[in-house]
């Protein structure tokens, strides 16, 4: 079972997460179709260790994941707003057009994104 599925099984709801430093995001220019306070998943590596985001998925059920691209355990998961992700890395707005079921990966922070898969990866 993917980590995301474990969160949903526990009754996690994806709405109304207060973005950190939300004043930094200008709603008129918010690139995602989802609201700035939409909850999404990241990992402690991105949030606490400041590793670059190298894996992004927009799951079939609408959830977003912004991960470091490494291996994860359940305790590595963090829930933040889309606005918070843009505060961490504003280039994530370039991936706002990912359709449901699509993901994108990069080899490192300087690499181009490759849109290539559906749901089989991410937080497992």
């Amino acid at each position: 079972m993917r980590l995301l599925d474990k969160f949903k099984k526990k009754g996690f709801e994806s709405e109304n997460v207060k973005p950190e430093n939300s004043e930094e995001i200008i709603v008129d220019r918010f690139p995602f179709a989802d609201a700035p306070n939409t909850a999404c998943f990241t990992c402690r590596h991105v949030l606490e260790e400041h590793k670059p985001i190298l894996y992004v998925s927009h799951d079939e059920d609408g959830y977003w994941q912004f991960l470091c691209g490494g291996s994860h355990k359940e305790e590595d998961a963090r829930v933040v707003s889309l606005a918070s992700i843009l505060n961490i890395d504003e280039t994530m707005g370039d991936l706002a057009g990912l359709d449901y079921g699509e993901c994108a990966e990069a080899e490192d922070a300087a690499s181009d994104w490759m849109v290539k898969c559906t749901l089989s990866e991410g937080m497992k």
Side-chain angles (χ1 to χ4, degrees):
M1 177 184 297
R2 292 180 319 136
L3 183 56
L4 175 60
D5 295 329
K6 292 177 187 177
F7 268 88
K8 287 191 261 181
K9 188 174 182 181
K10 293 179 183 178
F12 171 79
E13 294 297 329
S14 69
E15 298 176 10
N16 299 321
V17 172
K18 183 173 175 19
E20 298 155 14
N21 302 319
S22 57
E23 66 277 359
E24 294 179 27
I25 298 298
I26 300 171
V27 176
D28 292 342
R29 292 186 245 171
F30 193 73
F32 291 88
D34 298 299
N37 68 339
T38 299
C40 58
F41 293 92
T42 190
C43 58
R44 70 174 179 81
H45 310 110
V46 169
L47 198 60
E48 298 159 17
E49 298 175 14
H50 309 289
K51 290 192 176 182
I53 297 169
L54 300 177
Y55 177 88
V56 177
S57 71
H58 192 194
D59 297 339
E60 288 178 349
D61 54 10
Y63 286 94
W64 286 93
Q65 296 185 60
F66 297 87
L67 309 172
C68 68
S71 297
H72 298 96
K73 298 177 185 173
E74 185 173 356
E75 60 266 21
D76 294 330
R78 302 292 185 269
V79 178
V80 297
S81 68
L82 276 174
S84 295
I85 289 296
L86 285 178
N87 285 331
I88 292 168
D89 184 346
E90 65 186 27
T91 67
M92 291 301 107
D94 296 344
L95 297 172
L98 283 179
D99 202 0
Y100 293 116
E102 289 186 325
C103 71
E105 289 184 284
E107 287 188 34
D108 56 50
S111 297
D112 291 333
W113 288 96
M114 293 179 47
V115 176
K116 65 177 201 168
C117 62
T118 65
L119 306 192
S120 62
E121 299 178 23
M123 284 194 163
K124 298 179 181 177

